[in-house]
Amino acid sequence: MRVSRGERAANYVILAAFALFAVWPVLTVLVAALGPDDAAGGTVGGGVLGLHPENFVTAWNEGRFGSYLRTSLLVSGTVVVVSVVFSLLSGYALGTMRFRGSTVLFYLFLVGIMMPSEAVLVPLYYDLRALGLTDTIWALLLPQIAQSVAFGTFWMRAWFRSASPAIVEAARLDGASTWRILWQVLVPLARPAVVTLTVLTFMWTWNEFLVPLVMVVSESLRTAPLGLAFFQGQYTQGFTLLAAGACIVATPVVVLYLFLQRHFIAGMLEGAVRE
C-alpha cells in the first residue's frame, strides 16, 4: 500500500511537532545555562555570539559537582554491573528451566516491581540502621540493586522465553553445559536486550533522589541529583547556574544513550514482530 505525498508530509509535520515539544524544555535549560548570570545581575561581554560557557565552570566549582559525579558514577556503575549479572542468571533460570516453586519465585520478583520504593523506604532505613549501614555506600547500593534485579529478572525472563529452543538444544547436543549455553550462546544473542537493560538501570540509578536523601548524611556520599538539589537551595535567586548544574548532571546519561542508542532501540523493539 503506497502512501501519498500528502500523508507523508502530514506524518513529518506531526513528528516534527512532537520532537519540538520534547526537545523544547532541554533547549530552554541549555540556553539559560549559556546566558548571563542573572543572580549576579548579568555580566558584560561573553564568549562567541554572547554565550557564557564559563557558567559551567562556575557551577562545577561552586556546586562541587566533581565529588557528586564520582559518587554517582561509582553507585550507578556498581548497580548496573551487579544487577545485570544477577538478572541474567535469574532470568535464564526462570525463563528456560522448570523447577518447583519457580512460579511463586517469579511472582515475588513482580512484587518488587509493583511495590513503590516510597512504601518500603522508611522500614528499610530502620533495618539498615540496625545493621549499621546507613550513611555508607552500602545504603546507596543495596536498595537500588534489589529494585533493579526485580525489573531485570522480569525483562530477561521474557527474552529467554522468546529465544529459539532449537539453539539451546543444538548447543546441548554439542555437549555444552548450562553455564556455557548461557554465556556463550544466549547472552551474545541477547545483546540488544542486555544493552537496553543497562541503559535503563543506569538512568534510573543515576536519577534516583529519594534513596540518597534518606540513607546518607555525609556530603561525600551525595549523588549528583542530590547535590543539584542542595545547589538549588544555594542559588534560589538565579536560574543560570542552576541550569548549568542541571546540564552537568544530565550529561553522563545523554552520552551513554548516544553511544548505545542503536542497541537500545533494537532492544525496545525486539519481539514486536515475530515470524
Side-chain angles (χ1 to χ4, degrees):
M1 182 176 180
R2 299 184 60 181
V3 180
S4 64
R5 292 184 177 180
E7 291 176 339
R8 187 180 295 109
N11 291 335
Y12 283 130
V13 170
I14 295 174
L15 290 175
F18 277 102
L20 181 62
F21 178 78
V23 174
W24 181 258
V26 180
L27 294 178
T28 301
V29 174
L30 184 60
V31 170
L34 292 172
D37 187 359
D38 50 358
T43 56
V44 180
V48 180
L49 301 178
L51 302 180
H52 297 267
E54 67 274 6
N55 292 334
F56 293 96
V57 179
T58 303
W60 177 277
N61 294 330
E62 298 186 5
R64 301 178 181 178
F65 284 106
S67 174
Y68 303 150
L69 290 176
R70 283 194 299 269
T71 302
S72 287
L73 286 174
L74 174 63
V75 173
S76 300
T78 304
V79 170
V80 166
V81 172
V82 175
S83 62
V84 168
V85 172
F86 284 176
S87 298
L88 285 171
L89 296 176
S90 57
Y92 177 62
L94 295 174
T96 62
M97 303 177 185
R98 297 295 179 267
F99 53 91
R100 181 177 300 178
S102 60
T103 303
V104 176
L105 185 60
F106 175 65
Y107 287 152
L108 288 177
F109 280 104
L110 291 183
V111 171
I113 301 176
M114 295 182 292
M115 184 70 68
S117 59
E118 293 83 359
V120 299
L121 192 60
V122 173
L124 182 61
Y125 170 80
Y126 285 104
D127 290 340
L128 293 178
R129 191 181 68 172
L131 296 174
L133 296 179
T134 53
D135 202 25
T136 65
I137 193 66
W138 295 106
L140 299 176
L141 294 176
L142 295 178
Q144 298 185 78
I145 289 176
Q147 294 175 350
S148 301
V149 169
F151 172 79
T153 299
F154 170 78
W155 181 267
M156 295 311 306
R157 175 184 177 270
W159 188 92
F160 284 123
R161 286 174 64 89
S162 66
S164 175
I167 299 177
V168 178
E169 293 299 329
R172 287 175 179 170
L173 290 176
D174 290 338
S177 63
T178 301
W179 188 264
R180 187 175 181 183
I181 292 174
L182 170 62
W183 295 109
Q184 297 186 11
V185 177
L186 293 179
V187 169
L189 297 176
R191 183 173 61 178
V194 174
V195 171
T196 303
L197 178 60
T198 299
V199 174
L200 291 175
T201 304
F202 183 88
M203 179 182 64
W204 292 336
T205 306
W206 184 273
N207 293 329
E208 179 62 42
F209 177 79
L210 191 58
V211 171
L213 178 64
V214 174
M215 295 297 178
V216 299
V217 178
S218 302
E219 184 178 358
S220 59
L221 293 175
R222 291 178 184 172
T223 57
L226 186 60
L228 181 63
F230 281 91
F231 186 65
Q232 179 182 7
Q234 183 179 359
Y235 287 94
T236 54
Q237 296 180 350
F239 182 70
T240 301
L241 294 182
L242 179 61
C247 292
I248 293 173
V249 171
T251 297
V253 177
V254 174
V255 172
L256 180 67
Y257 176 78
L258 290 178
F259 274 105
L260 302 177
Q261 61 174 328
R262 180 178 301 177
H263 297 291
F264 178 80
I265 295 174
M268 294 296 292
L269 298 179
E270 195 172 58
V273 178
R274 292 285 181 182
E275 295 183 358

